[in-house]
Amino acid sequence: MSGQVRQTYLLPNILRLLSIPIAFLAYDPSYLPARFQPYIPSSFQTYLNLAFAPSDQIYCYDSITTLDSANSTSHTCLTVHPNGTFGRIFTPSTAAESQSYNYYSGHVIPGLWDAHGHIMGYGEMLDSVQLYDTRSLHDVRKAISEYLTLHPGSGTKDNWIKGIGWDQAHFPNGDMPSASDLPSDLYIMLDRVDVHCTWVSSAVLSLLPSPLPSPPPGGTHPSPGVFCDNAMDLVLSYFPTPSEARQRSRLLATQDSLHTYGLVGVHDAGARPNDISLFASTPLSLRIHAMLECPIRNTFCAHLQERMHTPTLSVTAVKLFADGALGSHGAALQQPYSDAPEERGTMLINATALSSVTRSWARAGWGVNIHAIGDYAALAALDAMHDATAVGSDARFRLEHAQIVAPADQARMAALGVTASIQPTHATSDSAYALDRLGTERLGSSAYRMRSFLHKGIAVALGSDFPVEPPSPLAGMYAAVERRDPKDPGEQFYLQETLSLWEALWGFTRAPAEAAGMENWVGRIEEGWEADWVVIPRKWGYGDGEGEGSNDWLRSREAVKETWVAGKKVYSQKEDA
């Protein structure tokens, strides 16, 4: 009797074990010898395909802000297809249906995008001396010393100490520093906060020709050891090239960091062909719209890079540079600087050449995004874009930064359909010296526009310009709606240019998608779109207990609870704690 019992249980177990390889071979008969494959019924294969296929996943939250055509905030559940796109967005119709789903704490908004950042520059910053909080030359030297303690062996000819973040406004009399202010025996290169000037040590200067050549057109050499804009190329030609392994490590560190801020995608505002190759060869969850920057800046190099347009890596636009930055008196102005009457800034390329290269790119089918901070640079860039459209191009155009645009040229932007790519935290950071640089009239009519751009019909895409500013899109929204510095809120800066909370959210979601030609893939929560979302602690547009409409929560590093890309969780505050 005991033997019969064992046989009774043994036979089903044997059949179960056999069913695994049988099912596998039926699912993919190619593993069978050819003469046996016809005997696998097609209906059985279809059944197994359905049985083993991944199923839709449903996630339910306290609220979902979709930013779709209906701009719903009433739904609570979203469906994710196995291919990483959204399915049905809904609210359970009955209590019984509601109880059949798992609910998660938090409120959902679409995945956030930064319309202007520098991916490899951010990775380098994470691996460098950070000088953003330095307020004296002593602070700079102290930061270098602390970096050396953590990175012994740095500062050699083959391994320079790299840094970013200094601002001469914090040094004695606001003067530019010099090589003699740094340790003379170390190879050091420190980028100004806007990355439009670099400051090097005497050891680096010793590598350069003596005497130094005159600065090239579009470059300046304001003090011994400081090189600005096109003059930076002289120093960069001696900088040791990082290994591919180090660059890949920096890229992955950048991705991990950006996801913690709720970023699912970035417009990389200046990616060289080797950077794009690195993006393409590295498994990434971060979506990238790369603006191609030629190895020789402001030239035509379409033969070096194919256009591509996918939800994960898009390369359809080029980055050109018209001028420098306001903080270093490099922004090209139509009238002299108010605090430096002999200066009007620096054009990195003359207007005729800018128009020519813009036409070449537009004819080749590329979008053209031109860095223009000063109003003269904006004028030249818009002239170039107008010329490109006059020859029949339908390319998309963007003015990167668009910080100072004369009223007449604001109207031209709207007429030409040019997108303004704006960084809200630049306005709040620059507020300390903008009045000195520009004067009351120019500042009041031309500078740091946001709301007035929208009212004139100009599309506004928002970003941060990281690593120049921190990459948090929520902090960027705070700066946009409050016109205060999210790091140290103080006086509001030109309150009439604030955006609403909804306009700010659009600027970091739908607007970047449209500016990149990705509006049918990303930027909203809608069936068929890429399943990217961010979980935050409160319903969008509602008070947080500090008074209805309070926006202080946007400044908090705790504001992003989770980040999801293509239906997969890529960051969790709980898991990161």
Coordinates of all heavy atoms in Angstrom, one line a residue, residues 302-352:
A302 N 28.2 68.0 -39.6 CA 27.2 67.0 -39.7 C 27.7 65.7 -40.1 O 27.1 64.6 -39.8 CB 26.1 67.5 -40.6
H303 N 28.8 65.6 -40.8 CA 29.4 64.4 -41.3 C 30.0 63.5 -40.1 O 30.2 62.3 -40.3 CB 30.5 64.6 -42.3 CG 31.7 65.5 -41.7 ND1 31.6 66.8 -41.4 CD2 32.9 65.1 -41.3 CE1 32.7 67.2 -40.9 NE2 33.6 66.2 -40.9
L304 N 30.1 64.2 -38.9 CA 30.7 63.5 -37.8 C 29.6 62.8 -36.9 O 29.9 62.0 -36.1 CB 31.5 64.4 -36.9 CG 32.7 65.1 -37.5 CD1 33.4 66.0 -36.5 CD2 33.7 64.0 -38.0
Q305 N 28.3 63.1 -37.2 CA 27.3 62.6 -36.3 C 26.0 62.4 -37.1 O 25.5 63.3 -37.7 CB 27.1 63.5 -35.1 CG 26.0 63.1 -34.2 CD 26.3 61.8 -33.5 OE1 27.3 61.6 -32.9 NE2 25.4 60.8 -33.5
E306 N 25.5 61.2 -37.0 CA 24.2 60.9 -37.6 C 23.1 61.4 -36.7 O 23.2 61.4 -35.5 CB 24.0 59.4 -37.9 CG 24.9 58.8 -38.9 CD 24.6 57.3 -39.2 OE1 23.8 56.7 -38.4 OE2 25.1 56.8 -40.1
R307 N 22.0 61.9 -37.3 CA 20.8 62.3 -36.6 C 20.1 61.0 -36.1 O 20.1 60.0 -36.8 CB 19.8 63.1 -37.4 CG 20.4 64.4 -37.9 CD 19.5 65.2 -38.8 NE 18.4 65.8 -38.1 CZ 17.1 65.4 -38.3 NH1 16.8 64.4 -39.1 NH2 16.1 66.0 -37.6
M308 N 19.6 61.0 -34.9 CA 18.8 59.9 -34.4 C 17.6 60.5 -33.6 O 17.7 61.6 -33.0 CB 19.6 58.9 -33.6 CG 20.3 59.5 -32.3 SD 21.3 58.3 -31.5 CE 22.7 58.1 -32.5
H309 N 16.5 59.7 -33.5 CA 15.3 60.3 -32.8 C 14.6 59.1 -32.2 O 13.7 58.5 -32.8 CB 14.5 61.0 -33.9 CG 13.5 62.0 -33.3 ND1 13.8 62.8 -32.2 CD2 12.2 62.3 -33.6 CE1 12.8 63.6 -31.9 NE2 11.8 63.3 -32.7
T310 N 14.9 58.7 -31.0 CA 14.3 57.7 -30.3 C 13.9 58.2 -28.9 O 14.4 59.2 -28.5 CB 15.2 56.5 -30.1 OG1 16.2 56.8 -29.1 CG2 15.9 56.1 -31.4
P311 N 13.0 57.5 -28.2 CA 12.7 57.9 -26.8 C 13.8 57.9 -25.8 O 13.7 58.6 -24.8 CB 11.6 56.9 -26.4 CG 11.0 56.4 -27.7 CD 12.2 56.3 -28.6
T312 N 14.9 57.2 -26.1 CA 16.0 57.1 -25.1 C 17.1 58.0 -25.5 O 17.8 58.6 -24.6 CB 16.5 55.6 -25.0 OG1 16.8 55.2 -26.3 CG2 15.4 54.8 -24.4
L313 N 17.5 58.2 -26.8 CA 18.6 59.0 -27.2 C 18.2 59.7 -28.5 O 17.9 59.1 -29.5 CB 19.8 58.3 -27.4 CG 21.1 59.1 -27.9 CD1 21.4 60.2 -26.9 CD2 22.3 58.2 -28.0
S314 N 18.1 61.0 -28.4 CA 17.7 61.9 -29.5 C 18.8 62.8 -29.8 O 19.3 63.5 -29.0 CB 16.4 62.6 -29.2 OG 16.1 63.6 -30.2
V315 N 19.2 62.9 -31.1 CA 20.2 63.8 -31.6 C 19.7 64.5 -32.9 O 19.9 63.9 -33.9 CB 21.6 63.2 -31.8 CG1 22.7 64.2 -32.1 CG2 22.0 62.3 -30.6
T316 N 19.0 65.6 -32.7 CA 18.4 66.2 -33.9 C 18.8 67.7 -34.0 O 18.3 68.4 -34.9 CB 16.9 66.1 -33.8 OG1 16.4 66.7 -32.7 CG2 16.5 64.6 -33.8
A317 N 19.5 68.3 -33.0 CA 19.8 69.7 -33.0 C 21.3 69.9 -32.7 O 22.0 69.1 -32.2 CB 19.0 70.4 -31.9
V318 N 21.8 71.1 -33.1 CA 23.1 71.5 -32.9 C 23.2 72.7 -31.9 O 22.2 73.4 -31.8 CB 23.8 71.9 -34.2 CG1 23.2 73.2 -34.8 CG2 25.3 72.1 -34.1
K319 N 24.3 72.8 -31.2 CA 24.4 73.9 -30.2 C 25.5 74.8 -30.8 O 26.6 74.4 -31.1 CB 24.9 73.3 -28.9 CG 25.2 74.4 -27.8 CD 24.0 75.1 -27.3 CE 24.4 76.1 -26.2 NZ 25.0 75.5 -25.0
L320 N 25.1 76.1 -31.0 CA 26.0 77.2 -31.4 C 26.1 78.2 -30.2 O 25.2 78.3 -29.4 CB 25.6 77.8 -32.6 CG 25.3 76.9 -33.9 CD1 24.8 77.7 -35.0 CD2 26.6 76.2 -34.3
F321 N 27.2 78.9 -30.2 CA 27.5 79.9 -29.1 C 27.7 81.3 -29.7 O 28.7 81.5 -30.5 CB 28.7 79.5 -28.3 CG 28.6 78.2 -27.6 CD1 28.7 77.0 -28.3 CD2 28.3 78.1 -26.2 CE1 28.6 75.7 -27.6 CE2 28.1 76.9 -25.6 CZ 28.3 75.7 -26.2
A322 N 26.8 82.2 -29.3 CA 27.0 83.6 -29.8 C 27.9 84.5 -28.9 O 28.7 85.2 -29.4 CB 25.6 84.3 -30.0
D323 N 27.7 84.3 -27.6 CA 28.5 85.2 -26.7 C 28.9 84.5 -25.4 O 28.7 83.3 -25.3 CB 27.6 86.5 -26.4 CG 26.4 86.2 -25.6 OD1 25.9 85.1 -25.5 OD2 25.8 87.2 -25.1
G324 N 29.4 85.3 -24.5 CA 29.8 84.8 -23.2 C 28.7 85.0 -22.1 O 27.5 84.9 -22.4
A325 N 29.1 85.3 -20.9 CA 28.2 85.3 -19.7 C 28.2 86.7 -19.1 O 29.2 87.4 -19.2 CB 28.5 84.2 -18.7
L326 N 27.1 87.0 -18.5 CA 26.9 88.4 -17.9 C 27.9 88.6 -16.7 O 28.5 89.6 -16.5 CB 25.5 88.6 -17.4 CG 25.1 90.0 -17.0 CD1 25.1 90.9 -18.2 CD2 23.8 90.0 -16.3
G327 N 28.1 87.6 -15.9 CA 28.9 87.7 -14.7 C 30.3 88.1 -14.9 O 30.9 88.8 -14.1
S328 N 30.9 87.7 -16.0 CA 32.2 88.0 -16.4 C 32.3 89.1 -17.5 O 33.4 89.2 -18.1 CB 33.0 86.7 -16.9 OG 32.2 86.1 -18.0
H329 N 31.2 89.8 -17.6 CA 31.1 90.9 -18.6 C 31.3 90.4 -20.0 O 31.8 91.1 -20.9 CB 32.2 92.0 -18.3 CG 31.9 92.8 -17.1 ND1 32.4 92.5 -15.9 CD2 31.1 93.9 -16.9 CE1 32.0 93.4 -15.0 NE2 31.2 94.3 -15.6
G330 N 31.0 89.1 -20.2 CA 31.1 88.5 -21.6 C 29.9 88.5 -22.4 O 29.9 88.2 -23.6
A331 N 28.7 88.7 -21.8 CA 27.5 88.8 -22.6 C 27.5 90.0 -23.5 O 27.8 91.1 -23.1 CB 26.3 88.9 -21.6
A332 N 27.2 89.7 -24.8 CA 27.3 90.8 -25.8 C 26.1 91.7 -25.8 O 25.0 91.2 -26.0 CB 27.5 90.2 -27.2
L333 N 26.3 93.0 -25.5 CA 25.2 93.9 -25.3 C 25.2 94.9 -26.4 O 26.2 95.3 -27.0 CB 25.4 94.7 -24.0 CG 25.4 93.8 -22.7 CD1 25.6 94.7 -21.5 CD2 24.1 92.9 -22.6
Q334 N 24.0 95.4 -26.7 CA 23.8 96.5 -27.7 C 24.4 97.8 -27.3 O 24.9 98.6 -28.1 CB 22.4 96.6 -28.1 CG 21.8 95.4 -28.8 CD 20.4 95.6 -29.3 OE1 20.0 96.7 -29.7 NE2 19.6 94.5 -29.3
Q335 N 24.3 98.1 -26.0 CA 24.8 99.3 -25.3 C 25.8 98.9 -24.3 O 25.8 97.8 -23.7 CB 23.7 100.1 -24.8 CG 22.7 100.6 -25.8 CD 23.3 101.4 -26.9 OE1 24.2 102.2 -26.6 NE2 22.8 101.3 -28.1
P336 N 26.7 99.8 -23.9 CA 27.8 99.4 -22.9 C 27.2 98.9 -21.6 O 26.1 99.3 -21.2 CB 28.6 100.7 -22.7 CG 28.3 101.5 -24.0 CD 26.9 101.1 -24.4
Y337 N 28.0 98.2 -20.8 CA 27.7 97.8 -19.5 C 27.6 99.0 -18.6 O 28.4 100.0 -18.7 CB 28.8 96.9 -18.9 CG 28.7 95.4 -19.3 CD1 29.2 95.0 -20.6 CD2 28.0 94.5 -18.5 CE1 29.0 93.7 -21.0 CE2 27.9 93.2 -18.9 CZ 28.4 92.8 -20.1 OH 28.3 91.4 -20.5
S338 N 26.6 99.0 -17.7 CA 26.4 100.2 -16.8 C 27.5 100.3 -15.9 O 27.9 101.4 -15.5 CB 25.1 100.0 -16.1 OG 24.0 100.0 -17.0
D339 N 28.2 99.2 -15.5 CA 29.3 99.3 -14.5 C 30.6 99.2 -15.2 O 31.7 99.1 -14.5 CB 29.1 98.2 -13.4 CG 29.1 96.8 -14.0 OD1 29.0 96.6 -15.2 OD2 29.2 95.8 -13.2
A340 N 30.6 99.1 -16.5 CA 31.9 99.1 -17.3 C 31.6 99.8 -18.6 O 31.5 99.1 -19.6 CB 32.4 97.7 -17.4
P341 N 31.6 101.1 -18.6 CA 31.1 101.8 -19.8 C 32.0 101.6 -21.1 O 31.5 101.9 -22.2 CB 31.2 103.3 -19.4 CG 31.1 103.3 -17.9 CD 31.8 102.0 -17.5
E342 N 33.2 101.1 -20.9 CA 34.1 100.8 -22.1 C 33.8 99.4 -22.6 O 34.5 99.1 -23.7 CB 35.5 101.0 -21.6 CG 36.1 99.9 -20.8 CD 35.6 99.9 -19.3 OE1 34.9 100.9 -18.9 OE2 36.0 99.0 -18.5
E343 N 33.0 98.6 -22.0 CA 32.8 97.2 -22.5 C 31.4 97.0 -23.0 O 30.4 97.5 -22.4 CB 33.1 96.3 -21.3 CG 34.5 96.3 -20.8 CD 34.8 95.3 -19.7 OE1 34.0 94.3 -19.7 OE2 35.7 95.5 -19.0
R344 N 31.3 96.2 -24.0 CA 30.0 95.7 -24.5 C 29.9 94.2 -24.6 O 29.0 93.6 -25.1 CB 29.7 96.3 -25.9 CG 29.5 97.8 -25.9 CD 28.9 98.2 -27.2 NE 28.9 99.7 -27.3 CZ 28.0 100.3 -28.1 NH1 27.2 99.7 -28.9 NH2 28.0 101.6 -28.2
G345 N 30.9 93.5 -24.0 CA 30.9 92.0 -24.0 C 31.6 91.4 -25.1 O 32.3 92.1 -25.9
T346 N 31.4 90.1 -25.3 CA 32.2 89.4 -26.3 C 31.3 88.5 -27.2 O 30.6 87.7 -26.7 CB 33.2 88.5 -25.6 OG1 34.0 89.3 -24.7 CG2 34.1 87.8 -26.6
M347 N 31.4 88.7 -28.5 CA 30.8 87.8 -29.4 C 31.8 86.7 -29.8 O 33.0 87.0 -30.1 CB 30.4 88.5 -30.7 CG 29.1 89.3 -30.6 SD 27.6 88.3 -30.4 CE 27.4 87.6 -32.0
L348 N 31.4 85.4 -29.6 CA 32.3 84.3 -29.9 C 32.4 84.0 -31.3 O 33.3 83.2 -31.8 CB 31.9 83.1 -29.1 CG 31.6 83.3 -27.6 CD1 31.3 81.9 -26.9 CD2 32.8 84.0 -26.9
I349 N 31.5 84.6 -32.1 CA 31.5 84.4 -33.6 C 30.8 85.6 -34.1 O 29.9 86.2 -33.6 CB 30.7 83.1 -34.0 CG1 30.7 82.9 -35.5 CG2 29.3 83.1 -33.4 CD1 30.0 81.6 -35.9
N350 N 31.4 86.1 -35.3 CA 30.8 87.4 -35.8 C 29.4 87.1 -36.4 O 29.1 85.9 -36.8 CB 31.7 88.1 -36.7 CG 31.9 87.3 -38.0 OD1 31.0 87.0 -38.8 ND2 33.2 87.1 -38.3
A351 N 28.6 88.1 -36.6 CA 27.2 87.9 -37.0 C 27.1 87.3 -38.4 O 26.2 86.4 -38.6 CB 26.5 89.2 -37.0
T352 N 28.0 87.6 -39.3 CA 27.9 87.0 -40.6 C 28.2 85.5 -40.6 O 27.5 84.7 -41.3 CB 29.0 87.8 -41.6 OG1 28.7 89.2 -41.6 CG2 28.9 87.2 -43.0

